[in-house]
Amino acid sequence: MTQDPTRLDAALAAIDAANAADPTQEDGRPAALVYGERMSAELERLFPHASEVLRIAARGQHVERWTLSRDSYPQGRPGYLAWRKEQGRRHAERVAGIMADAGYDDEEIARSGRMLRKEGIKRDPEVQQLEDVICFVFLRWYFSPFADGRDPEELLRIVTRTARKMSDEGRARVLAEFDLPAPFAAAFRPEAETL
């Protein structure tokens, strides 16, 4: 697949325009816009030769996420998972429209949808790359504020789930790049998969 910077730029700009409407602010800017930029930067750092479709999926990972409140689903893990699944469906649908407007074909649009719905983690290399990027962005930018005041056992469960979603290479990079407390670091070690 050849790279087409014109349509790629158009798709990324449309995602940014949608995310610029996020009423939630981070550092004085729309939070979804900041998140999308961080996803793109981390993708470029980790996978500099990523396809256009993966670049779009990364930028659109949380497109208009604020429009479906977490509070509209029951509390607890089942409610969270249902909300997250619906978010993936909505993100895929919204990005599909943006990609169609930018000139992408049906196959490319469907591929992006599979990535955004996380279909094929551990089996599809690009879906896995997107998941690794998501985990790196979480650890680098959102983990510390998320962890503040949480129960240590709950936090360890969340970190362990995060590590399990990552590739072996991704977990190895986490250990090399982050100074994690021992219990959290253990979740990223190869032997943790068998525990």
PDB file of all heavy atoms in Angstrom, residues 17-35:
ATOM      1  N   ALA A  17     -10.013  17.859  14.333  1.00  0.00           N
ATOM      2  CA  ALA A  17     -11.121  18.821  14.390  1.00  0.00           C
ATOM      3  C   ALA A  17     -12.258  18.277  15.253  1.00  0.00           C
ATOM      4  O   ALA A  17     -12.857  19.014  16.049  1.00  0.00           O
ATOM      5  CB  ALA A  17     -11.614  19.132  12.982  1.00  0.00           C
ATOM      6  N   ALA A  18     -12.549  16.986  15.107  1.00  0.00           N
ATOM      7  CA  ALA A  18     -13.592  16.376  15.940  1.00  0.00           C
ATOM      8  C   ALA A  18     -13.182  16.409  17.412  1.00  0.00           C
ATOM      9  O   ALA A  18     -13.985  16.768  18.279  1.00  0.00           O
ATOM     10  CB  ALA A  18     -13.835  14.934  15.480  1.00  0.00           C
ATOM     11  N   ASN A  19     -11.933  16.083  17.693  1.00  0.00           N
ATOM     12  CA  ASN A  19     -11.469  16.036  19.084  1.00  0.00           C
ATOM     13  C   ASN A  19     -11.287  17.417  19.697  1.00  0.00           C
ATOM     14  O   ASN A  19     -11.274  17.556  20.917  1.00  0.00           O
ATOM     15  CB  ASN A  19     -10.171  15.228  19.178  1.00  0.00           C
ATOM     16  CG  ASN A  19     -10.439  13.737  19.171  1.00  0.00           C
ATOM     17  OD1 ASN A  19     -11.528  13.293  19.512  1.00  0.00           O
ATOM     18  ND2 ASN A  19      -9.443  12.967  18.777  1.00  0.00           N
ATOM     19  N   ALA A  20     -11.159  18.434  18.879  1.00  0.00           N
ATOM     20  CA  ALA A  20     -11.019  19.807  19.387  1.00  0.00           C
ATOM     21  C   ALA A  20     -12.293  20.276  20.098  1.00  0.00           C
ATOM     22  O   ALA A  20     -12.263  21.248  20.851  1.00  0.00           O
ATOM     23  CB  ALA A  20     -10.657  20.757  18.254  1.00  0.00           C
ATOM     24  N   ALA A  21     -13.407  19.563  19.879  1.00  0.00           N
ATOM     25  CA  ALA A  21     -14.665  19.929  20.530  1.00  0.00           C
ATOM     26  C   ALA A  21     -14.807  19.341  21.932  1.00  0.00           C
ATOM     27  O   ALA A  21     -15.800  19.590  22.617  1.00  0.00           O
ATOM     28  CB  ALA A  21     -15.839  19.471  19.656  1.00  0.00           C
ATOM     29  N   ASP A  22     -13.820  18.575  22.383  1.00  0.00           N
ATOM     30  CA  ASP A  22     -13.880  17.972  23.716  1.00  0.00           C
ATOM     31  C   ASP A  22     -13.926  19.071  24.775  1.00  0.00           C
ATOM     32  O   ASP A  22     -13.020  19.898  24.864  1.00  0.00           O
ATOM     33  CB  ASP A  22     -12.647  17.081  23.931  1.00  0.00           C
ATOM     34  CG  ASP A  22     -12.708  16.284  25.229  1.00  0.00           C
ATOM     35  OD1 ASP A  22     -13.631  16.492  26.038  1.00  0.00           O
ATOM     36  OD2 ASP A  22     -11.805  15.442  25.432  1.00  0.00           O
ATOM     37  N   PRO A  23     -14.986  19.092  25.600  1.00  0.00           N
ATOM     38  CA  PRO A  23     -15.061  20.125  26.636  1.00  0.00           C
ATOM     39  C   PRO A  23     -14.089  19.887  27.792  1.00  0.00           C
ATOM     40  O   PRO A  23     -13.797  20.807  28.552  1.00  0.00           O
ATOM     41  CB  PRO A  23     -16.514  20.031  27.122  1.00  0.00           C
ATOM     42  CG  PRO A  23     -16.930  18.627  26.819  1.00  0.00           C
ATOM     43  CD  PRO A  23     -16.174  18.219  25.590  1.00  0.00           C
ATOM     44  N   THR A  24     -13.581  18.671  27.924  1.00  0.00           N
ATOM     45  CA  THR A  24     -12.625  18.351  28.974  1.00  0.00           C
ATOM     46  C   THR A  24     -11.261  18.894  28.579  1.00  0.00           C
ATOM     47  O   THR A  24     -10.805  18.682  27.461  1.00  0.00           O
ATOM     48  CB  THR A  24     -12.523  16.823  29.167  1.00  0.00           C
ATOM     49  OG1 THR A  24     -13.833  16.282  29.289  1.00  0.00           O
ATOM     50  CG2 THR A  24     -11.712  16.480  30.388  1.00  0.00           C
ATOM     51  N   GLN A  25     -10.621  19.583  29.496  1.00  0.00           N
ATOM     52  CA  GLN A  25      -9.343  20.223  29.192  1.00  0.00           C
ATOM     53  C   GLN A  25      -8.180  19.508  29.871  1.00  0.00           C
ATOM     54  O   GLN A  25      -8.316  18.992  30.975  1.00  0.00           O
ATOM     55  CB  GLN A  25      -9.368  21.688  29.661  1.00  0.00           C
ATOM     56  CG  GLN A  25     -10.418  22.533  28.965  1.00  0.00           C
ATOM     57  CD  GLN A  25     -10.031  22.841  27.540  1.00  0.00           C
ATOM     58  OE1 GLN A  25      -9.003  23.468  27.292  1.00  0.00           O
ATOM     59  NE2 GLN A  25     -10.858  22.417  26.592  1.00  0.00           N
ATOM     60  N   GLU A  26      -7.053  19.508  29.194  1.00  0.00           N
ATOM     61  CA  GLU A  26      -5.798  19.040  29.770  1.00  0.00           C
ATOM     62  C   GLU A  26      -4.728  20.029  29.338  1.00  0.00           C
ATOM     63  O   GLU A  26      -4.521  20.235  28.135  1.00  0.00           O
ATOM     64  CB  GLU A  26      -5.455  17.634  29.265  1.00  0.00           C
ATOM     65  CG  GLU A  26      -4.211  17.096  29.919  1.00  0.00           C
ATOM     66  CD  GLU A  26      -3.954  15.632  29.586  1.00  0.00           C
ATOM     67  OE1 GLU A  26      -4.883  14.906  29.236  1.00  0.00           O
ATOM     68  OE2 GLU A  26      -2.783  15.244  29.690  1.00  0.00           O
ATOM     69  N   ASP A  27      -4.085  20.636  30.286  1.00  0.00           N
ATOM     70  CA  ASP A  27      -3.088  21.673  30.013  1.00  0.00           C
ATOM     71  C   ASP A  27      -3.667  22.786  29.125  1.00  0.00           C
ATOM     72  O   ASP A  27      -2.996  23.303  28.234  1.00  0.00           O
ATOM     73  CB  ASP A  27      -1.841  21.072  29.349  1.00  0.00           C
ATOM     74  CG  ASP A  27      -1.136  20.062  30.242  1.00  0.00           C
ATOM     75  OD1 ASP A  27      -1.181  20.245  31.480  1.00  0.00           O
ATOM     76  OD2 ASP A  27      -0.549  19.100  29.718  1.00  0.00           O
ATOM     77  N   GLY A  28      -4.928  23.124  29.370  1.00  0.00           N
ATOM     78  CA  GLY A  28      -5.576  24.207  28.635  1.00  0.00           C
ATOM     79  C   GLY A  28      -5.982  23.868  27.218  1.00  0.00           C
ATOM     80  O   GLY A  28      -6.342  24.751  26.442  1.00  0.00           O
ATOM     81  N   ARG A  29      -5.945  22.597  26.857  1.00  0.00           N
ATOM     82  CA  ARG A  29      -6.323  22.158  25.505  1.00  0.00           C
ATOM     83  C   ARG A  29      -7.344  21.027  25.611  1.00  0.00           C
ATOM     84  O   ARG A  29      -7.399  20.343  26.639  1.00  0.00           O
ATOM     85  CB  ARG A  29      -5.090  21.668  24.746  1.00  0.00           C
ATOM     86  CG  ARG A  29      -4.040  22.756  24.599  1.00  0.00           C
ATOM     87  CD  ARG A  29      -2.799  22.259  23.888  1.00  0.00           C
ATOM     88  NE  ARG A  29      -3.126  21.863  22.528  1.00  0.00           N
ATOM     89  CZ  ARG A  29      -2.662  20.748  21.947  1.00  0.00           C
ATOM     90  NH1 ARG A  29      -1.870  19.935  22.590  1.00  0.00           N
ATOM     91  NH2 ARG A  29      -3.006  20.467  20.716  1.00  0.00           N
ATOM     92  N   PRO A  30      -8.132  20.790  24.566  1.00  0.00           N
ATOM     93  CA  PRO A  30      -9.094  19.682  24.618  1.00  0.00           C
ATOM     94  C   PRO A  30      -8.381  18.350  24.885  1.00  0.00           C
ATOM     95  O   PRO A  30      -7.419  18.002  24.193  1.00  0.00           O
ATOM     96  CB  PRO A  30      -9.737  19.707  23.231  1.00  0.00           C
ATOM     97  CG  PRO A  30      -9.540  21.110  22.741  1.00  0.00           C
ATOM     98  CD  PRO A  30      -8.228  21.555  23.307  1.00  0.00           C
ATOM     99  N   ALA A  31      -8.850  17.617  25.888  1.00  0.00           N
ATOM    100  CA  ALA A  31      -8.171  16.396  26.328  1.00  0.00           C
ATOM    101  C   ALA A  31      -8.084  15.343  25.224  1.00  0.00           C
ATOM    102  O   ALA A  31      -7.061  14.670  25.088  1.00  0.00           O
ATOM    103  CB  ALA A  31      -8.870  15.821  27.560  1.00  0.00           C
ATOM    104  N   ALA A  32      -9.137  15.181  24.427  1.00  0.00           N
ATOM    105  CA  ALA A  32      -9.112  14.169  23.356  1.00  0.00           C
ATOM    106  C   ALA A  32      -8.096  14.540  22.280  1.00  0.00           C
ATOM    107  O   ALA A  32      -7.455  13.662  21.699  1.00  0.00           O
ATOM    108  CB  ALA A  32     -10.501  14.005  22.744  1.00  0.00           C
ATOM    109  N   LEU A  33      -7.944  15.823  22.018  1.00  0.00           N
ATOM    110  CA  LEU A  33      -6.947  16.279  21.047  1.00  0.00           C
ATOM    111  C   LEU A  33      -5.537  15.970  21.548  1.00  0.00           C
ATOM    112  O   LEU A  33      -4.696  15.454  20.807  1.00  0.00           O
ATOM    113  CB  LEU A  33      -7.119  17.783  20.804  1.00  0.00           C
ATOM    114  CG  LEU A  33      -6.224  18.429  19.752  1.00  0.00           C
ATOM    115  CD1 LEU A  33      -6.491  17.845  18.368  1.00  0.00           C
ATOM    116  CD2 LEU A  33      -6.445  19.936  19.738  1.00  0.00           C
ATOM    117  N   VAL A  34      -5.297  16.234  22.815  1.00  0.00           N
ATOM    118  CA  VAL A  34      -3.994  15.945  23.424  1.00  0.00           C
ATOM    119  C   VAL A  34      -3.721  14.444  23.361  1.00  0.00           C
ATOM    120  O   VAL A  34      -2.628  14.009  22.992  1.00  0.00           O
ATOM    121  CB  VAL A  34      -3.938  16.462  24.880  1.00  0.00           C
ATOM    122  CG1 VAL A  34      -2.682  15.987  25.589  1.00  0.00           C
ATOM    123  CG2 VAL A  34      -4.033  17.985  24.903  1.00  0.00           C
ATOM    124  N   TYR A  35      -4.728  13.649  23.695  1.00  0.00           N
ATOM    125  CA  TYR A  35      -4.561  12.189  23.672  1.00  0.00           C
ATOM    126  C   TYR A  35      -4.212  11.703  22.258  1.00  0.00           C
ATOM    127  O   TYR A  35      -3.299  10.893  22.081  1.00  0.00           O
ATOM    128  CB  TYR A  35      -5.832  11.499  24.171  1.00  0.00           C
ATOM    129  CG  TYR A  35      -5.733   9.997  24.167  1.00  0.00           C
ATOM    130  CD1 TYR A  35      -5.151   9.315  25.230  1.00  0.00           C
ATOM    131  CD2 TYR A  35      -6.208   9.243  23.090  1.00  0.00           C
ATOM    132  CE1 TYR A  35      -5.051   7.929  25.232  1.00  0.00           C
ATOM    133  CE2 TYR A  35      -6.107   7.863  23.081  1.00  0.00           C
ATOM    134  CZ  TYR A  35      -5.524   7.216  24.154  1.00  0.00           C
ATOM    135  OH  TYR A  35      -5.405   5.846  24.142  1.00  0.00           O
TER     136      TYR A  35
END
